[in-house]
Amino acid sequence: MPAPWLALPLAILLTPKQGVPASKQPNVRQVYGDLVVEAKTAVFTKDKVTFQQGVRATFSSEVLTADTLTLYPQDEKGEATGHVVLTDPAGLLSADNLDFSWKAGAKGGSGQNAHLDLAGVMIDAQTYESIPGNPPTEIFTNVVGTSCGREKTPLYTIHSPKVIFYPGKEGIIRHPTLYLFGHRIITLPTRTFTLDTRVKGIGVPGIVFGRGKLGILWAPSKLIDDRTALSIDVRSFKGERFTADAYVSRSFLQADKAPALISPHSDLSERFTTSYFDNIRVQTPDIGGANNRSFRNDLSVGSSWNHGSTNDQTADTYSKLIEGIYEIGGPEGRYGYQASFRAQDMRLNDEPFHARLVGAGTIGTPSYKLTKNVFAIGRLDASTFLGSTAFGWTRAEAGLYATPTNWLTLSTGFAHGNEAGKALFPADHLLIRNEAMGRADFNLGPRQFSILFKRDFDRSDWYREYMARQVVGCLEVSIVSRQFPRSYQLGVTLRLEQFLAILHSRKLSLQATTPGKTGVVPMPMPNHVQP
């Protein structure tokens, strides 16, 4: 229910216009295609229909109640007044009144003194307005909002004279003021934030921990047009070279078909980070499979300087004078694939640059059901490097997972890799060629814990990864620890995922294009792990 004052009203007279006599009727039940309006009384005239007393209008899963509902079929508009309440599986909106239009190309609405309870977020606004567009512009004035509204005294509230949403694109909050436990803390400048999952927005620099050191990271990305993005990555760690890269990327897919970041994956980063058996952050086997089936069709060009590589555990750095990248991926039947092709001019430390071509690909299998609660999954990865030398590797991974209860998943897997040729750079090699994995995931509602053990047969060593999450009211506390490659993350975040997922969608309202057909609210794609 991303535009709750529009979802039901916009569907009301997308059905055929109804001709009615000028009369007053008791205990009325009017049917308009999929819309059913019930009231104790109704007045029918040439230009309008007024329903009063116990008004209840139902369309699909949307229910509107009000003291009075008036429809103007000729002008294609309507209004609901008195104790207006709109309920939806996603949330609830209450208001003093609601005006709306369903005219083609000019669908919109407005209201006063609204309270919105949507996906755990509560918003009170003096006025709201939906301006037609693709997507519509949603404007709230004199706003008070929080995701901690269930508490007697909310942990925080944010006050703003004006908030504007361009769903699926960006949002603007004017001079937000932060209150903690009812006490005013600070007023910030007007802030713009992205609602497009394909870019990260501008953001602010953050503190990160990597290779046993603290550093500063700033990785903004912004759309140049609807399918072109600029991404920048700047990092600084004590005792290491300053790291920076910049890429311009062009996607050939519609925005709603490819919600993943447009910016390219780095061939210097961890290779199998989307695998359930290789990365504790991939929460379920299904998410790992969805990563392999995610749509991608991007072309990028850019430059990268002084980056370390996860696949080279030394302090060496790599620079790319220029690099062109084409990435493609998606489902193929029940399978999924991801592939990349690179032309790059790369060097190690301060050595000369070397021109070369790099190709890489992944094929992921679906989950095969072996018994009632036991499944098999697998993936195949390969990469080829062609330059002054020729080198390549392949890696096969297979595993089993079992779900003996709805709160426990147990899994085990094995991976084997082969290499051939002469590698130009140390980072071209597989980090681990032969390994076995064992994992357990506990999902106890507000408490989640996962642990992953890896046996590295190349180094005769064991590695441990674990992730723990605890919901505390409107907050989530999380810890992620990985031994090899080494990383540690401690976070406290607001639980806004469902609310933001709604705002990420550019399609905002139920659309009944044909009488008798039920509108469908589009659901956002899962949040996949990004390499």
Side-chain angles (χ1 to χ4, degrees), residues 302-358:
S303 184
S304 175
W305 295 87
N306 303 321
H307 266 276
S309 174
T310 305
N311 309 302
D312 179 357
Q313 291 294 295
T314 69
D316 289 336
T317 62
Y318 297 83
S319 299
K320 301 172 185 177
L321 181 63
I322 190 168
E323 181 178 39
I325 309 167
Y326 177 65
E327 296 175 297
I328 187 170
E332 188 63 43
R334 296 183 61 199
Y335 292 79
Y337 74 97
Q338 300 290 314
S340 65
F341 307 90
R342 302 169 186 267
Q344 56 187 207
D345 207 7
M346 192 164 83
R347 74 179 184 187
L348 173 66
N349 298 322
D350 293 322
E351 297 177 3
F353 284 96
H354 297 269
R356 65 177 190 167
L357 301 175
V358 180

Side-chain angles (χ1 to χ4, degrees), residues 364-375:
T365 72
S367 294
Y368 289 100
K369 188 173 183 178
L370 302 180
T371 68
K372 180 179 179 181
N373 297 312
V374 179
F375 303 83

Side-chain angles (χ1 to χ4, degrees), residues 272-280 282 288 291 379 397 439:
F272 315 116
T273 188
T274 60
S275 168
Y276 171 73
F277 286 113
D278 290 283
N279 188 348
I280 198 68
V282 182
N291 287 325
R379 61 183 280 165
E397 177 183 286
R439 175 169 174 163

